Amino acid sequence: MTSLTRRRFVFYLDTLLLVVFLFLLAPRSTGLTVHEWLGIALALPLLVHLLLAWSWIATASRRLVSPVRTRDTVNAVLNAALFVSAAVVVVSGLVISRVALPFLGMDTIDDRVWRGMHNRWTTLMMLSVSAHVAMNWRWIVNTARRYLARSESRA
Amino acid sequence: MNVSLAPTWRAAIARTLLLVAALAVVAGGMYVIDGPPSAVRAVRQNEIARFAPTPGRGLTQFLGETALLVFATGVARLGLKIRL
């Protein structure tokens, strides 16, 4: 398995995550049923994304304890914010589920407070995703260019 | 295509459990801060009907959120100089 193959897989995966996330931000485009199931289905690609980034997570965690640069601390905090906000959004979404979890036989309560939490933390998650994309922008552009250049050379 | 998620299966499972544990910590914090969901605070609206998709509203919301994310990414990259 070449480095480019892994890189291309990660690029496809991350693109999928971003596109699905954009649809999750717009439940009026999908309806509540698709919104809930899409949110649940996102768990697996999200897990794969985190596992693929594990070495970075481990390094960033170590640097948080013994920072080399201020940027390392800032980036680690931003990514932690993304994880926490995503966790809050996912958990609160499951708690207030109207379609998916009742379909699976679980009783849920559409609690006003948890709904408010879901909505507020979605905004924070969106900002965290923006920072995450910004942080990795150079990798995104370089991979897209390398992949597109490779596709054109094959054509 | 062979993409390795971890050096071994055991490592992959251990890392997954660690992520689930972190998720559980966050969930626990939510329950402590806001309390468990309560029927007293239940929303009485029909949420499924409320979010029934329509092309106009759906497209507007999708494009609006996309534009917001693009703008926020631009501010983060160019304004706040966030990078690796």
Side-chain angles (χ1 to χ4, degrees), chain A residues 27-92:
Chain A
R28 291 188 197 279
S29 66
T30 60
L32 194 63
T33 304
V34 171
H35 175 83
E36 290 192 10
W37 285 114
L38 208 55
I40 291 171
L42 198 63
L44 186 60
L46 206 53
L47 173 64
V48 171
H49 175 81
L50 289 171
L51 290 177
L52 288 173
W54 196 263
S55 58
W56 190 93
I57 293 170
T59 305
S61 302
R62 279 193 289 273
R63 285 182 182 169
L64 203 56
V65 175
S66 318
V68 176
R69 310 174 297 173
T70 307
R71 182 173 290 166
D72 293 334
T73 308
V74 170
N75 288 347
V77 167
L78 285 174
N79 282 313
L82 177 55
F83 180 83
V84 170
S85 59
V88 172
V89 168
V90 166
V91 172
S92 59

Side-chain angles (χ1 to χ4, degrees), chain A residues 1 5-6 9 21-23 25-29 31-32 47-48 50-52 54 56 71 75 78 83 87-88 91-92 95 99 109-115 117 126 130-131 133-136, chain B residues 1-5 12 15-16 18-19 22-23 26-27 30-31 34-39 41-43 47-48 50-51 53-54 57-58 61-62 65-66 68-69 72-73 76-77 82-84:
Chain A
M1 185 242 338
T5 303
R6 177 189 168 97
F9 176 79
F21 178 65
L22 286 171
F23 275 105
L25 284 177
R28 291 188 197 279
S29 66
L32 194 63
L47 173 64
V48 171
L50 289 171
L51 290 177
L52 288 173
W54 196 263
W56 190 93
R71 182 173 290 166
N75 288 347
L78 285 174
F83 180 83
V88 172
V91 172
S92 59
V95 165
V99 178
I109 300 173
D110 193 359
D111 186 306
R112 190 173 292 113
V113 171
W114 283 74
R115 171 162 293 282
M117 192 170 14
M126 193 271 294
S130 301
V133 171
M135 200 185 302
N136 293 282
Chain B
M1 182 170 54
N2 182 18
V3 177
S4 174
L5 297 180
R15 292 171 184 182
T16 302
L18 197 59
L19 290 169
L23 188 73
V26 174
M30 292 162 70
Y31 271 81
D34 281 317
S38 165
R41 304 184 304 206
V43 173
E47 297 288 321
I48 298 169
R50 192 172 148 236
F51 285 101
T54 58
R57 286 163 68 189
Q61 190 179 42
F62 180 81
E65 295 290 347
T66 303
L68 201 56
L69 192 134
T73 303
R77 181 78 184 173
I82 292 175
R83 60 199 68 215
L84 285 173

Side-chain angles (χ1 to χ4, degrees), chain A residues 85-124:
Chain A
S85 59
V88 172
V89 168
V90 166
V91 172
S92 59
L94 289 172
V95 165
I96 63 173
S97 171
R98 296 279 78 198
V99 178
L101 262 60
F103 178 82
L104 296 172
M106 295 178 220
D107 288 330
T108 57
I109 300 173
D110 193 359
D111 186 306
R112 190 173 292 113
V113 171
W114 283 74
R115 171 162 293 282
M117 192 170 14
H118 185 72
N119 293 340
R120 283 192 304 275
W121 282 81
T122 296
T123 304
L124 188 61

